[in-house]
Amino acid sequence: GYEKSIQRGIAVLRVLSHPGIARLVSSFRVNEGAFLVLEYASRGDLHGLLQKQGSLDVDATRFVIGECIAALASIHELGFVYGDLKPENIVISEPGHIKLTDFGGCRAVTAEARDMISKVSRNVLDDLRDGGWKTTKQGNSSDGDAAGTAAHTDADTEEEQMAEEEDARIEGTTAYLPPEVVLGAVPDQSADSWALGCVMYQCMSGRPPLLEADDEATRHRIVRFDDATIGSAAGSL
């Protein structure tokens, strides 16, 4: 059920180019699995760093958030919303720079961006190279790819477009979603700004600002937005 998400993620990474975005090196399939090879982040992710250190000081937080903003700005300028900003998706390169990864939740929010993605994403899964050594050895991979591509008709294209419209599943992480998205709205670029604020808070405090024991309680907390609780927590920073 994640075919559209994978297809969109590959297409978006082929379109985006910025020092703060983890580069797509290669993509291939093995049996029913699609694999993406991304730029290596030897220092892990921000979530792991916060678990190890507890929190960051003001200067380190400013650096992390500044590099996140630069990457998000490039995404927004092209007409996309990132859609899943959280410490687990913020990775750290060997020199210590910040990069965003995991673009399965990234969506086009402008007509230009949608047109850009539709051109890139067409048959993207069918066109993936086969990484199975048995298939490669037998020499059947290219024949299968050609047959699969040739089989697409106008009806198939229409069905894919309908499936894309129906793929309104919110793929963000609950603790970083704004109230309007929790209530069912489609994420726009302001949702990234909300998530960025949550990440900044977590960098300095060690935990997200709105988090409960389970997703349902967290959703309720986000929509209620208990100012007194937030204020007391912020005052302890």
Side-chain angles (χ1 to χ4, degrees), residues 113-208:
R114 284 191 288 270
D115 183 58
M116 189 186 311
I117 286 300
S118 67
K119 292 177 180 177
V120 176
S121 64
R122 191 167 299 159
N123 302 334
V124 68
L125 294 181
D126 291 336
D127 292 341
L128 289 181
R129 290 176 297 174
D130 200 311
W133 69 270
K134 289 184 179 180
T135 304
T136 303
K137 183 177 180 181
Q138 294 170 355
N140 292 332
S141 177
S142 61
D143 294 341
D145 289 346
T149 302
H152 278 272
T153 63
D154 291 339
D156 294 329
T157 302
E158 184 178 350
E159 184 176 336
E160 288 171 0
Q161 290 173 346
M162 291 176 62
E164 183 66 31
E165 292 174 1
E166 293 169 358
D167 184 18
R169 175 176 50 207
I170 302 303
E171 297 176 32
T173 303
T174 302
Y176 305 90
L177 296 178
E180 67 273 14
V181 175
V182 170
L183 292 173
V186 176
D188 61 15
Q189 294 165 337
S190 64
D192 287 339
S193 298
W194 174 282
L196 183 69
C198 293
V199 170
M200 181 169 63
Y201 183 101
Q202 188 168 352
C203 283
M204 300 187 69
S205 70
R207 69 187 304 276

Side-chain angles (χ1 to χ4, degrees), residues 69-148:
I69 289 173
L72 287 173
S74 72
I75 295 168
H76 292 176
E77 285 171 4
L78 284 176
F80 294 91
V81 53
Y82 178 44
D84 198 12
L85 185 66
K86 59 182 178 179
E88 291 89 338
N89 288 343
I90 299 171
V91 296
I92 309 168
S93 67
E94 180 60 31
H97 285 285
I98 296 300
K99 294 179 182 287
L100 303 185
T101 189
D102 190 355
F103 281 78
C106 188
R107 306 292 179 96
V109 293
T110 66
E112 293 80 2
R114 284 191 288 270
D115 183 58
M116 189 186 311
I117 286 300
S118 67
K119 292 177 180 177
V120 176
S121 64
R122 191 167 299 159
N123 302 334
V124 68
L125 294 181
D126 291 336
D127 292 341
L128 289 181
R129 290 176 297 174
D130 200 311
W133 69 270
K134 289 184 179 180
T135 304
T136 303
K137 183 177 180 181
Q138 294 170 355
N140 292 332
S141 177
S142 61
D143 294 341
D145 289 346

Side-chain angles (χ1 to χ4, degrees), residues 11 20 29 53 140 157 163-164 175 187 216 229:
R29 68 176 185 229
Q53 294 188 190
N140 292 332
T157 302
E164 183 66 31
E216 188 59 36
T229 304

